Amino acid sequence: NEFLNLQGKWDTAWYMSVVTDGYRYRTHDVTEQQNIVFFPALPVAIRVVGRFFGGSSPAFLWGGTIVVLAAFFWSLVYIFRLAREFIDDEDSARWAVWVTATYPFALYFSALYSESFFLLGSAGPFYHFRRREFVKAAIWGLLVGLTRPNGCFLSIPLGLIAVAPW
């Protein structure tokens, strides 16, 4: 069914292989592609939510869709809050949310890719760090670190904020 498999395109198959079969590394064939390059935050969340829908492949696919859309919505909430703090104007903060949501590449925030998790894990720490809620910022930073390999670089601007006199 093409409608039920709408989300199952391109790299989604790799994430779904991690969700359904776990990580695998085959040393006997070095030319074969491996799924170990996909970080675990999104597959774990998809697996947890997909279990509530029955644990079948379509259940994991649609559970993953709910996960990435919820992460994108939550990241838009953080972007609104950050913009409102920086600009001190609700209309401009709404504009920041609309620009983020309608940007042409925002299409990937609804795909079963780690983009929505990365955005959430990037906006959340800045919001909580500015409010001096370091434990919450660290938890969001851990999420972004478990989402992509370059998530560790989020510590650089957060460290600059920590030493800057605000």
Side-chain angles (χ1 to χ4, degrees):
N1 186 331
E2 281 301 314
F3 178 72
L4 291 178
N5 197 31
L6 188 62
Q7 285 287 73
K9 308 289 183 197
W10 302 294
D11 282 350
T12 298
W14 288 106
Y15 283 112
M16 294 307 291
S17 75
V18 173
V19 169
T20 57
D21 302 327
Y23 287 102
R24 69 184 186 308
Y25 180 70
R26 296 188 179 118
T27 58
H28 63 276
D29 187 7
V30 295
T31 61
E32 184 179 347
Q33 292 182 344
Q34 310 288 336
N35 70 355
I36 59 170
V37 299
F38 294 93
F39 274 48
L42 182 62
V44 167
I46 291 173
R47 188 170 181 91
V48 168
V49 174
R51 292 278 181 188
F52 287 114
F53 294 107
S56 65
S57 290
F60 286 132
L61 202 59
W62 287 101
T65 302
I66 290 170
V67 165
V68 296
L69 290 176
F72 181 55
F73 176 75
W74 202 352
S75 66
L76 291 177
V77 170
Y78 273 123
I79 289 170
F80 174 78
R81 290 177 177 177
L82 270 172
R84 188 178 55 194
E85 281 189 16
F86 276 111
I87 304 168
D88 199 26
D89 179 27
E90 294 229 0
D91 290 333
S92 297
R94 277 191 216 99
W95 178 251
V97 168
W98 278 107
V99 167
T100 304
T102 59
Y103 183 70
F105 293 112
L107 169 74
Y108 294 104
F109 292 129
S110 64
L112 280 181
Y113 298 159
S114 62
E115 272 72 9
S116 60
F117 262 40
F118 193 79
L119 182 64
L120 175 61
S122 298
F126 283 103
Y127 175 75
H128 290 295
F129 205 86
R130 281 187 45 82
R131 299 171 65 86
R132 303 292 185 214
E133 299 169 348
F134 299 118
V135 173
K136 290 179 182 178
I139 291 170
W140 286 120
L142 177 64
L143 173 72
V144 81
L146 290 172
T147 300
R148 287 200 184 153
N150 56 354
C152 67
F153 294 120
L154 186 68
S155 62
I156 295 170
L158 290 175
L160 291 174
I161 291 172
V163 298
W166 294 100

